[in-house]
Amino acid sequence: MSEGRADSYPLRRREVVVKLLEDRGDMLLVAGLGACVWDSTAAGDSDLTFPLWGAMGAACSIGLGLALAQPERRVLVITGDGEMLMGLGSLATVAVQAPGNLAIVVLDNERYGETGMQETHTARSTDLAAMAAGAGLELCSTIRDQSEFDAGLGSIRSAPGPVFSVIKIRAENLPLVLPPKDGAYLKDRFRRALLGEAVVG
């Protein structure tokens, strides 16, 4: 991996995710595949977390459906820049549906972390927050340092949405912290936590 600007970004992914999920209450989380799953698990596995082991590009779409189905619950999507680049079309649908309870956070290390840390397009000219704004999302931001993160955390956690925040994080390889791998179990665990025991036969 060649070094780039992301190798010196001050914000660290696991510290960011811990703060995003601190005292989360009944907030629902969709974690995009790869490092975002490892990060959310490292912060504390929860039955109200739906980790994606696959379905690259689908995190925002799943979060949107969940937000529409559960309008009284805050829904947070935490995904990466590579996954978001694959699912850009979902942003237009998020903007049109405009669920006020949805927040999308893109942890942008400018790398494809699961395939060798190759640079993504965000390491060059691609601006995901600008693309989200172009899709019609009104609350879009790019967070680059601790003061901006501290200022934006409240909006991510509770502002009427949809909220879209790109958080520039350091490019680093971290130890894996894995949730259960059984997809059927994860689905049933999440449904049971959300809807109650009776929904899972």
Side-chain angles (χ1 to χ4, degrees):
M1 178 189 76
S2 61
E3 289 199 0
R5 59 185 180 178
D7 296 284
S8 60
Y9 285 161
L11 292 173
R12 313 290 288 270
R13 61 181 316 126
R14 296 232 163 128
E15 295 168 5
V16 165
V17 172
V18 165
K19 292 300 292 183
L20 288 170
L21 298 178
E22 191 174 56
D23 299 322
R24 65 186 279 189
D26 65 355
M27 182 171 67
L28 307 176
L29 171 65
V30 176
L33 84 168
C36 295
V37 169
W38 325 147
D39 297 338
S40 61
T41 305
D45 194 22
S46 168
D47 291 355
L48 293 177
T49 295
F50 191 70
L52 299 187
W53 277 98
M56 185 170 180
C60 281
S61 296
I62 293 171
L64 171 61
L66 191 57
L68 293 172
Q70 296 290 324
E72 302 304 315
R73 305 284 286 271
R74 189 69 172 183
V75 177
L76 175 62
V77 174
I78 301 178
T79 192
D81 47 307
E83 203 270 354
M84 189 69 257
L85 285 165
M86 183 171 280
L88 284 173
S90 63
L91 295 178
T93 307
V94 170
V96 169
Q97 294 294 321
N101 58 328
L102 178 63
I104 300 163
V105 169
V106 180
L107 300 180
D108 184 4
N109 64 354
E110 304 176 357
R111 300 287 191 276
Y112 289 108
E114 305 313 304
T115 60
M117 298 295 278
Q118 304 92 341
E119 287 187 344
T120 70
H121 298 317
T122 65
R124 303 195 180 231
S125 58
T126 300
D127 183 333
L128 289 172
M131 297 177 87
L137 290 164
E138 295 184 4
L139 295 177
C140 302
S141 64
T142 299
I143 292 169
R144 300 181 183 276
D145 58 33
Q146 189 65 48
S147 63
E148 291 179 351
F149 179 61
D150 293 342
L153 183 58
S155 292
I156 294 168
R157 293 285 299 264
S158 60
V163 176
F164 185 90
S165 294
V166 176
I167 302 179
K168 291 287 190 175
I169 56 166
R170 186 173 303 182
E172 52 187 343
N173 282 308
L174 297 171
L176 303 185
V177 183
L178 305 180
K181 291 185 177 181
D182 186 321
Y185 167 78
L186 290 170
K187 175 201 71 175
D188 289 343
R189 181 182 81 165
F190 187 76
R191 291 184 70 217
R192 186 179 290 111
L194 181 59
L195 301 173
E197 191 69 33
V199 305
V200 180

